[in-house]
Amino acid sequence: MSNLISHKADPLSGPLKVPGDKSISHRALIMGTMAIGQSRISGLLEGEDVLNTAEAMKAMGADITRAENSDWIVYGVGVGGLCEPENALDMGNSGTGARLIMGLVAPYPFHTSFIGDASLSTRPMKRITDPLSKFGAEFHGAEGMTLPITVSGIMDPVPIEYELPVASAQVKSAILLAALNTPGKTTVIEPTPTRDHTERMFEHFGVTISIASHGTNGKAITVTGQPELKARDMYVPTDPSSAAFPAVAALITPGSDIIIENVGMNPSRTGIYITLQDMGADISFINQRLECGESVADIHVKYSELTGITVPKDRAPSMIDEYPILCIAASFAKGDTIMRGLAELRVKESDRIAVMVAGLKACGVTVSEHDDGMTVTGKTAIEGGAKVATHLDHRIAMSFLTLGMRTENPVEVDDGSVIETSFPGFRALMNGLGARIEDKK
Ligand code: S3P
């Protein structure tokens, strides 16, 4: 555990780049492994979660190295080419790594065990094991189907059609990855669209995939299994979820003016920026372009006086990881910011509703907790001065360090080391802009 403390910041200024997108980085390593030959990945996130996925791919036969220019080189084994790992795959803190790779290995005739840290070991896996069982795989897990879990994969998997009962890109992606080594056509129906990086990556690698509209807003995604995939180079844009921390820091720190470069602008991920604009934030997108099938832009953010809003429930999937940092922006907004329809937040790296509400209250923010969200009532001066429990959750740690940049007294978090899972270099980057985040001795 390493405690960090955040003091009142100077106005933030300068151009900056946040690390690569976590969701795309996991998928780039997995898809590089599913292709035959050498794929080169530039911009890969070198956070602990993604490095655990790289280790898992290596344990099943891929050759993965980091080149001198910090590109990553993957020699894949091809669809059907994975081999049984000798040891349990340790996915650390990563729900995405665990769930996607469980899907990937389900249609292979071998056993794969998954372990993780204390946070990951409490997270629900039934949402994955239910659909993957329909392919024919079997799962043996701890009580309530949590990690450690052993997957007994199936030699002759059968394709499935499955409608997602919960809006989750991880569940969708687990099924789509299982479909890769399953003969025939597998269809996933998602009534509410979620991030579509897996679908875009499949298209990039030449997988036969068709996407039809379903119902009012939904999609039916069909993949034809057992393709022969050729290696492809990949470019990972920087992470819009990580960029939200300096963006909110600039919005709440008077005098700030920053440009965050090369940020992924996939519409299934940009809900936070639309919401902040709805609250009156001075945010503009410049230099918009397309890189390897993903849209990218530079984000210009200036300090702004914000007003609370009711965040539309149907926006949740496009900003599901950003509610903790939105709560920080809402703490300084005029009036109430009402965030509902967020039951999923209770099963993230921590129960993000309970943990945010406890931390905000400790810092003197007016907040009320609902079953499915929270309401934050903003004010111009917030006391701070508290020590916040992060519960092994990187986004909780970064959110409260951002809060401390504007509070009257510094805010401390009990464990800054978890930030390494998604945003290595967070503290140096923020301090380079004007923050004052230090070790708490
Ligand atoms: C992710 C999907 C989301 C998100 C997570 C990354 C992904 O989870 O919270 O950080 O890469 O597919 P759910 O699919 O469980 O909503």
Side-chain angles (χ1 to χ4, degrees), residues 21-24 26-27 96 99-100 123 127 166-173 194-195 197-198 269 320-321 344 347-349 352 394-395:
D21 188 280
K22 181 152 73 72
S23 292
I24 299 177
H26 284 293
R27 289 155 170 89
T96 308
R99 291 178 176 139
L100 267 53
R123 297 186 65 187
R127 55 181 57 198
V166 44
S168 166
Q170 292 179 356
V171 179
K172 169 178 69 177
S173 301
T194 60
R195 66 190 69 192
H197 304 301
T198 305
R269 298 286 300 283
I320 194 66
D321 291 334
E344 274 295 295
V347 290
K348 294 293 179 188
E349 283 83 333
R352 285 185 175 157
H394 52 131
R395 297 195 204 280

Side-chain angles (χ1 to χ4, degrees), residues 159-382:
I160 66 167
E161 178 174 316
Y162 189 77
E163 179 162 338
L164 298 178
V166 44
S168 166
Q170 292 179 356
V171 179
K172 169 178 69 177
S173 301
I175 298 168
L176 294 177
L177 288 167
L180 279 184
N181 198 33
T182 299
K185 288 181 192 296
T186 291
T187 298
V188 187
I189 295 164
E190 57 169 5
T192 311
T194 60
R195 66 190 69 192
D196 61 357
H197 304 301
T198 305
E199 296 90 307
R200 286 174 193 250
M201 194 73 85
F202 276 21
E203 277 164 4
H204 184 62
F205 274 87
V207 176
T208 304
I209 174 167
S210 68
I211 303 173
S213 54
H214 183 90
T216 331
N217 292 318
K219 291 181 188 168
I221 304 148
T222 301
V223 166
T224 306
Q226 302 191 322
E228 231 177 73
L229 304 183
K230 292 209 180 65
R232 290 270 185 281
D233 288 348
M234 289 167 272
Y235 164 81
V236 181
T238 68
D239 197 319
S241 298
S242 298
F245 296 101
V248 168
L251 287 173
I252 63 172
T253 308
S256 298
D257 186 339
I258 61 169
I259 293 182
I260 316 171
E261 295 172 344
N262 293 347
V263 186
M265 285 283 110
N266 181 316
S268 63
R269 298 286 300 283
T270 50
I272 181 66
Y273 299 101
I274 297 164
T275 300
L276 290 168
Q277 283 176 327
D278 288 351
M279 294 169 75
D282 186 343
I283 295 182
S284 49
F285 304 101
I286 47 185
N287 200 8
Q288 300 206 30
R289 57 212 184 265
L290 205 65
E291 307 258 16
C292 277
E294 293 279 356
S295 40
V296 174
D298 303 332
I299 309 182
H300 188 185
V301 188
K302 291 185 194 163
Y303 166 74
S304 306
E305 282 179 14
L306 303 174
T307 305
I309 60 164
T310 299
V311 183
K313 286 185 185 173
D314 62 4
R315 202 177 280 167
S318 69
M319 54 180 290
I320 194 66
D321 291 334
E322 280 65 76
Y323 287 93
I325 190 64
L326 179 62
C327 287
I328 305 306
S331 301
F332 297 100
K334 195 166 165 230
D336 289 348
T337 299
I338 303 167
M339 296 163 267
R340 305 292 301 252
L342 307 175
E344 274 295 295
L345 289 194
R346 296 208 181 267
V347 290
K348 294 293 179 188
E349 283 83 333
S350 67
D351 174 344
R352 285 185 175 157
I353 297 175
V355 172
M356 279 311 297
V357 167
L360 289 170
K361 279 189 176 158
C363 291
V365 176
T366 308
V367 54
S368 46
E369 178 169 352
H370 317 297
D371 286 352
D372 66 341
M374 51 248 157
T375 297
V376 173
T377 308
K379 51 188 172 187
T380 45
I382 292 170

